Amino acid sequence: MASNSNSQERYSRQILFSGIGTEGQAKLLNSRAVIIGCGALGSSQAEALARAGVGKLRIVDRDFVESSNLQRQTMFTEHDAAERLPKAVAAANHIGEVNSDIEVEPEIADVNHSNIERLIAGADVVLDGTDNFATRYLINDACVKNGVNWIYGAAVGSYGVTMTVRPHETPCLRCIFPEAPPAASAPTCDTAGVIMPIISIVASVQVSEALKLLTGDIQSLHNSLMQFDVWRNEWRKISLGAPLTDCATCALGKFETLEADARDFAAVMCGRQAVQISPSESVHIDLAALRQKLEPAGEVKANDYLLRFRTGEYELTVFQDARSIIRGTDDIATARSLYSKYIGN
Ligand SMILES: [Zn+2]
């Protein structure tokens, strides 16, 4: 931690701001924020919270940096994409250069029912940087169950939406969206694209809400479902009432997604011509040994966190926890067969 005077200097403009002040800054430095998903929204949130001096940042992401991310995922560089660094690690590296006073906890993980409660443990606030409703319901269940405030955010095309959830004080995600939109009905970033300005707006509102929560300025929260479209020039603020008295999650305390059986072992990654295969129990893979095994069969590249193996039209990226992202197919059977052929069962 920096000396007090350095801290005063670094955060002086923020301390001058009446909403934060010396006391608010001290609270930020003693807070932990957890960012689930470090793509466009998550990397923007992470950078802003690091610059603001939130003392501990846990950054959770399952993926690695690719060149198609660089148009909007402002924390990452061409070097990260060339090295195929996991996003959590690349983000931690850059934050270390932006603010070396704070502590960053990168977690390379696919968020699921078995790890979400561990991942949010100790959080003063959780920020949604994910791109799918299944993970958002998991965050909602875990945060309502454990009484942790969280901030929903989503962006696609030029449209974005955000809402702050304070369990039992405000409606939760399930109060507002009892069911996820049917798969394939909603546009995604892979089908409709996305432009950076909407990312900046949604992430900025999420970060502002996080700063209000962390400094205890509850009165200043926006208490609404905020929607923005930067291309159609539409901004809407829909006021939220009280939590629903029959909400399955926050009223009845049913945490469906946490009680579920192990999540599907294989999942198609939307619009990416890729399938993710996760082992049903966590194992640790010796990437150096796997590299030796695969070298005779195709092109292999590896860094400290993952190994990439190319064979014909397919590309397998294998993480240390034995999870694999298989590119070149959206067929689960094909992906499973490649996984068992090259990585093992
Ligand atoms: Zn609810």
Side-chain angles (χ1 to χ4, degrees):
M1 195 60 63
S3 74
N4 213 25
S5 62
N6 283 347
S7 239
Q8 289 282 331
E9 171 64 21
R10 174 186 273 267
Y11 304 114
S12 60
R13 301 307 187 276
Q14 195 164 279
I15 290 169
L16 273 173
F17 173 66
S18 63
I20 294 183
T22 309
E23 204 184 314
Q25 188 61 53
K27 286 179 183 166
L28 295 180
L29 288 165
N30 281 315
S31 299
R32 174 185 275 118
V34 175
I35 293 171
I36 308 279
C38 194
L41 286 173
S43 58
S44 184
Q45 296 156 8
E47 181 181 343
L49 293 173
R51 289 187 189 274
V54 171
K56 292 195 172 79
L57 283 182
R58 185 176 301 147
I59 299 175
V60 186
D61 194 277
R62 67 180 179 185
D63 218 339
F64 50 86
V65 183
E66 296 179 280
S67 67
S68 67
N69 302 148
L70 301 179
Q71 157 260 351
R72 65 194 180 286
Q73 303 189 11
T74 50
M75 198 149 51
F76 305 129
T77 61
E78 289 181 357
H79 177 261
D80 298 328
E83 294 292 314
R84 296 212 150 199
L85 285 180
K87 290 181 181 178
V89 171
N93 292 346
H94 293 301
I95 288 171
E97 293 180 351
V98 167
N99 190 346
S100 55
D101 290 347
I102 65 166
E103 206 176 294
V104 189
E105 309 162 305
E107 290 266 359
I108 308 165
D110 181 42
V111 176
N112 58 48
H113 73 106
S114 73
N115 60 15
I116 181 72
E117 289 187 81
R118 173 180 71 76
L119 293 170
I120 67 158
D124 296 298
V125 65
V126 173
L127 287 92
D128 172 16
T130 67
D131 59 1
N132 63 84
F133 255 82
T135 312
R136 293 190 181 109
Y137 283 131
L138 263 176
I139 297 172
N140 191 59
D141 278 359
C143 285
V144 171
K145 183 179 170 190
N146 293 281
V148 177
N149 298 323
W150 77 279
I151 306 167
Y152 160 60
V156 61
S158 57
Y159 168 82
V161 58
T162 178
M163 177 176 89
T164 300
V165 175
R166 286 187 297 132
H168 308 298
E169 301 288 332
T170 68
C172 78
L173 189 71
R174 191 74 75 173
C175 291
I176 305 293
F177 304 106
E179 310 260 335
S185 75
T188 71
C189 293
D190 296 302
T191 59
V194 62
I195 55 173
M196 203 197 84
I198 189 61
I199 299 291
S200 309
I201 287 179
V202 173
S204 294
V205 175
Q206 288 180 288
V207 168
S208 304
E209 291 281 283
L211 297 179
K212 294 171 201 170
L213 286 167
L214 296 175
T215 55
D217 190 358
I218 303 303
Q219 270 70 36
S220 298
L221 295 166
H222 62 65
N223 286 316
S224 60
L225 186 71
M226 291 192 92
Q227 299 174 311
F228 316 93
D229 192 317
V230 293
W231 213 260
R232 298 170 71 178
N233 312 308
E234 292 169 357
W235 296 53
R236 261 206 295 183
K237 188 165 177 268
I238 302 168
S239 291
L240 301 174
L244 291 187
T245 51
D246 60 350
C247 170
T249 307
C250 69
L252 307 178
K254 286 189 199 150
F255 305 114
E256 207 176 89
T257 65
L258 301 180
E259 288 148 14
D261 291 334
R263 197 163 82 167
D264 204 350
F265 181 68
V268 178
M269 297 179 86
C270 177
R272 277 186 54 183
Q273 273 280 303
V275 174
Q276 174 179 258
I277 306 261
S278 311
S280 48
E281 52 197 83
S282 79
V283 283
H284 182 85
I285 277 202
D286 180 346
L287 291 178
L290 181 63
R291 179 180 195 151
Q292 277 195 332
K293 179 175 110 174
L294 291 176
E295 255 162 0
E299 184 195 329
V300 187
K301 283 186 181 161
N303 59 34
D304 290 346
Y305 314 97
L306 58 84
L307 172 151
R308 179 173 43 142
F309 170 61
R310 198 189 290 271
T311 175
E313 67 208 272
Y314 304 112
E315 187 187 281
L316 285 71
T317 300
V318 187
F319 296 85
Q320 282 170 330
D321 62 0
R323 192 163 52 83
S324 181
I325 294 174
I326 296 157
R327 267 276 191 81
T329 181
D330 52 16
D331 178 56
I332 287 180
T334 305
R336 276 192 206 283
S337 110
L338 288 162
Y339 188 94
S340 62
K341 185 169 171 191
Y342 293 111
I343 302 161
N345 297 309

